[in-house]
Amino acid sequence: PSGAIYLDGGRIAFARASWVPGLAARLRAISAGLVGPAEMAPRRDGDDADDAAVAGLALQRGYLTPAGLHELIRSIIVDALLVLTVPLAMDAPVAGIRFTSTRTYWTEMFPRLGLDEVREEAFRKAARLAEHGLAPTTAMALCDLRAPAAVLTREQWAVACRIGAHASALDLAARRGAALSDTLECLGSLARAGLCAPVR
């Protein structure tokens, strides 16, 4: 995965990764009618100005409270840090890391998070996800239930309904505009319940 972590005064203002649904996608998942084509000129996916504008619109229209926006941004930052800093394999190569000064669009509505607290949360999630033994790119397929019944949460059911022939957590998170780590957690729970399994 590729991505960027935006720092402001040594604290994280925002982060993005190619494997993580961005802020605009997550906000649109909350309300499909949040941004119409007439309200915002189309921009390339992952545009900082687009994310900031959609966040402002979500607050203005009451789809989200400032606290809700902060929680959503924190989730995106943790997911991005998770895929950018936690190795997928023991000898996973790092193609390049660079620091650059850039213009940002992160206003006061974006929280500034401490690097240590975000890193600790990302590592806690990584440890939980490691128990499932699934990578974001592991393709999963539904399978016949061996037990008489299974009890699913609403989130697990939403993920199971979108698997189709097969899908990875990466695909499902992008389709749903959901957190990658939450999607992986759901897939792991579904696999443990015997409802899906990795495609070999």
Side-chain angles (χ1 to χ4, degrees):
S2 61
I5 298 170
Y6 299 91
L7 301 173
D8 181 15
R11 296 174 70 78
I12 301 175
F14 196 64
R16 70 174 68 257
S18 58
W19 287 9
V20 175
L23 184 57
R26 297 282 299 273
L27 287 169
R28 286 185 183 112
I30 293 170
S31 171
L34 178 60
V35 179
E39 294 174 276
M40 187 175 294
R43 296 181 166 96
R44 69 181 169 79
D45 191 33
D47 191 337
D48 298 342
D50 187 20
D51 281 347
V54 174
L57 209 54
L59 289 178
Q60 178 186 356
R61 294 201 177 161
Y63 288 110
L64 218 51
T65 63
L69 178 65
H70 286 196
E71 187 180 318
L72 191 60
I73 290 171
R74 180 185 189 88
S75 168
I76 293 167
I77 290 171
V78 169
D79 269 3
L81 217 66
L82 187 68
V83 300
L84 293 174
T85 62
V86 177
L88 299 173
M90 289 304 284
D91 19 327
V94 175
I97 295 176
R98 68 181 183 280
F99 292 90
T100 182
S101 178
T102 184
R103 180 178 177 197
T104 63
Y105 297 86
W106 317 126
T107 63
E108 293 76 40
M109 72 177 142
F110 284 71
R112 302 305 191 260
L113 304 172
L115 184 57
D116 288 340
E117 65 180 277
V118 174
R119 190 177 60 190
E120 283 173 24
E121 188 174 340
F123 283 135
R124 271 196 312 273
K125 282 193 176 206
R128 266 200 338 261
L129 295 173
E131 293 171 10
H132 299 299
L134 299 175
T137 55
T138 304
M140 301 291 284
L142 294 173
C143 51
D144 293 333
L145 186 61
R146 288 183 290 270
V151 178
L152 303 179
T153 65
R154 182 174 292 174
E155 181 79 8
Q156 290 166 343
W157 178 252
V159 169
C161 288
R162 292 186 179 239
I163 291 176
H166 62 80
S168 68
L170 193 59
D171 303 326
L172 294 167
R175 281 186 218 155
R176 296 178 60 234
L180 179 64
S181 55
D182 293 348
T183 305
L184 266 167
E185 188 94 40
C186 277
L187 281 175
S189 299
L190 290 170
R192 217 175 22 253
L195 289 164
C196 69
V199 176
R200 300 294 177 198

